[in-house]
Amino acid sequence: MKNYLLLFSSLVAAFQVSAQSISVPEPEFLHGYIHLTSDSTFNALPKERGEFKKHESKLSKFAKIGSAVAGAAGAVGAGMMGLGGSVGTVVAGARTITTAASVSSAVGTLDLLSGMEGMDIVFSGKESSYTVSANEPMRFIVREADNLTDPLDIMRVVQLKKGKKDRKIRWMNLSSSLLGGEEATKKGYLQFSGEKYGESSYLITIPQGQLEEGEYGIIIGNEANATVIPVATFSVR
């Protein structure tokens, strides 16, 4: 309980850093991400294409894939298997995401990824090309079609699991009310706050103490399509 109160206090303090003190332009293009290095300076974040792939546990790495499963995977794309073993479910989920992803700022757009529950979002390479230091609350500006939706309904800040050749996060359709809790943090989903910035952007703040050394990404649900999702990435050193 004490740790939760400290986290809540840190979040409130971070949120109180008003967007009115910031004097940088909104990102030039839709779905642009910038990292605020001060109230008046910034750097653009790189965007990487994460691929949806079947989740691999330590056990599954040693398991053999049957010919029937392999055939089904080929029919819908190897990266789209793993949703309860149902090809129909995979295809339906893909169609839902492909259609709905074009609708910007709809309430609960992270629900568009519900069909990908339990799958891995995988990025090639061991680390992001952009490195930051976590000595203070981390602030980002993200441009959307508009800023009428609660950013907690459309965004997630995640810590990526680093491998020898890639980084990944297992997609979990977590409620925003669980962010900051022990279980969500353990799974790689971090607490953050968000407020309107400019005409169509959001100011996203990650409280000090949330970030440790590692790899991270900012996910917007309505950017996903049937097989990939663009994610802004950064490394903390």
Side-chain angles (χ1 to χ4, degrees), residues 62-116:
F62 299 99
K64 293 183 178 180
I65 302 176
S67 59
V69 176
V76 298
M80 293 299 295
M81 289 302 296
L83 303 181
S86 169
V87 176
T89 300
V90 175
V91 174
R95 288 173 178 168
T96 299
I97 291 176
T98 304
T99 302
S102 62
V103 181
S104 65
S105 298
V107 174
T109 51
L110 286 176
D111 289 341
L112 302 179
L113 294 175
S114 60
M116 302 306 183

Side-chain angles (χ1 to χ4, degrees), residues 2-167:
K2 183 178 180 181
N3 290 336
Y4 179 80
L5 291 175
L6 288 174
L7 176 60
F8 180 76
S9 298
S10 176
L11 182 63
V12 171
F15 189 80
Q16 289 175 340
V17 179
S18 173
Q20 295 180 358
S21 65
I22 300 172
S23 58
V24 303
E26 296 182 64
E28 183 177 3
F29 300 111
L30 183 66
H31 303 320
Y33 301 74
I34 60 176
H35 168 227
L36 294 177
T37 52
S38 74
D39 284 348
S40 58
T41 59
F42 64 92
N43 291 318
L45 285 181
K47 288 177 68 174
E48 301 186 51
R49 292 168 63 85
E51 294 185 57
F52 292 105
K53 295 185 178 182
K54 181 179 180 180
H55 175 67
E56 282 194 0
S57 65
K58 291 182 180 180
L59 292 177
S60 65
K61 289 181 180 180
F62 299 99
K64 293 183 178 180
I65 302 176
S67 59
V69 176
V76 298
M80 293 299 295
M81 289 302 296
L83 303 181
S86 169
V87 176
T89 300
V90 175
V91 174
R95 288 173 178 168
T96 299
I97 291 176
T98 304
T99 302
S102 62
V103 181
S104 65
S105 298
V107 174
T109 51
L110 286 176
D111 289 341
L112 302 179
L113 294 175
S114 60
M116 302 306 183
E117 178 80 16
M119 295 190 72
D120 286 337
I121 304 176
V122 183
F123 305 88
S124 61
K126 295 190 298 183
E127 57 189 29
S128 172
S129 62
Y130 186 75
T131 302
V132 301
S133 174
N135 294 327
E136 58 186 29
M138 202 68 61
R139 299 180 298 167
F140 302 93
I141 295 177
V142 181
R143 181 166 180 177
E144 273 291 278
D146 58 56
N147 52 17
L148 302 178
T149 305
D150 185 340
L152 292 176
D153 285 334
I154 62 175
M155 298 184 193
R156 288 292 178 264
V157 178
V158 298
Q159 183 172 16
L160 305 175
K161 183 177 180 181
K162 188 175 180 179
K164 293 182 179 180
K165 296 182 179 180
D166 57 25
R167 295 147 289 153

Side-chain angles (χ1 to χ4, degrees), residues 172-199:
M172 308 297 292
N173 203 35
L174 295 172
S175 167
S176 60
S177 63
L178 299 178
L179 298 179
E182 182 178 354
E183 188 64 21
T185 303
K186 183 178 180 181
K187 292 178 179 178
Y189 291 79
L190 305 184
Q191 178 69 293
F192 67 95
S193 65
E195 58 182 303
K196 292 183 178 182
Y197 184 83
E199 295 184 0

